Amino acid sequence: MSHDSLSLPLAYPFVPPQRFINRYSDEDAITRGTLFPELDLPFHDYQIKNPLPKTQMTELMMLDFVYFELRLYLDTHPEDITAMELYNEYKLKATEARQKLQSSLDSHYYNSWVYSPWPWEGDV
């Protein structure tokens, strides 16, 4: 193998341009793996077939996913004011959902710990 063949690039990547006007819903984004349909290149058109459970944790996961996707988008489109406003909105929604989930978990575990029968009370 010659030295010249080692210096050739392995590939020329191409990423389709993202248009902020086209976006998936929160639930579709997390199941498709991207917020932007232009970047949706499913492996053999694989999709998650089962709907996600409607829980506080799922809601938080969707909000965090969209928030992270918007942050990545803004890395390459920092001048997009609409995207920045939506990013800030999702940041707030994710923070509130995280606090709500933490509060309900704390309450659930506290109540189940304090008000459940203790192991020596024979109801275990």
Side-chain angles (χ1 to χ4, degrees):
M1 187 177 295
S2 71
H3 178 11
D4 292 335
S5 64
L6 295 177
S7 63
L8 294 175
L10 295 175
Y12 292 100
F14 172 75
V15 177
Q18 295 167 268
R19 293 185 308 248
F20 192 70
I21 56 172
N22 294 331
R23 294 188 315 272
Y24 283 132
S25 69
D26 297 355
E27 186 170 354
D28 287 342
I30 198 167
T31 59
R32 301 297 297 195
T34 181
L35 182 59
F36 303 99
E38 294 86 5
L39 300 181
D40 189 2
L41 305 172
F43 181 71
H44 296 287
D45 200 32
Y46 175 79
Q47 296 179 33
I48 296 175
K49 305 291 187 223
N50 298 328
L52 295 172
K54 304 293 184 204
T55 64
Q56 287 181 318
M57 181 62 82
T58 303
E59 178 187 347
L60 177 58
M61 287 172 23
M62 286 189 292
L63 292 170
D64 274 344
F65 183 80
V66 173
Y67 165 65
F68 188 75
E69 284 281 282
L70 289 168
R71 189 171 71 189
L72 291 174
Y73 174 83
L74 286 167
D75 284 346
T76 57
H77 302 81
E79 72 289 341
D80 191 331
I81 301 302
T82 304
M84 180 58 78
E85 290 171 352
L86 195 60
Y87 168 82
N88 288 329
E89 179 183 324
Y90 270 85
K91 183 178 180 179
L92 180 61
K93 284 181 179 181
T95 300
E96 289 171 350
R98 187 172 286 101
Q99 290 170 347
K100 181 179 174 185
L101 178 62
Q102 183 64 46
S103 174
S104 70
L105 289 176
D106 289 347
S107 174
H108 170 74
Y109 288 118
Y110 176 78
N111 287 334
S112 66
W113 175 257
V114 172
Y115 297 111
S116 294
W118 291 87
W120 56 85
E121 293 179 323
D123 196 21
V124 175

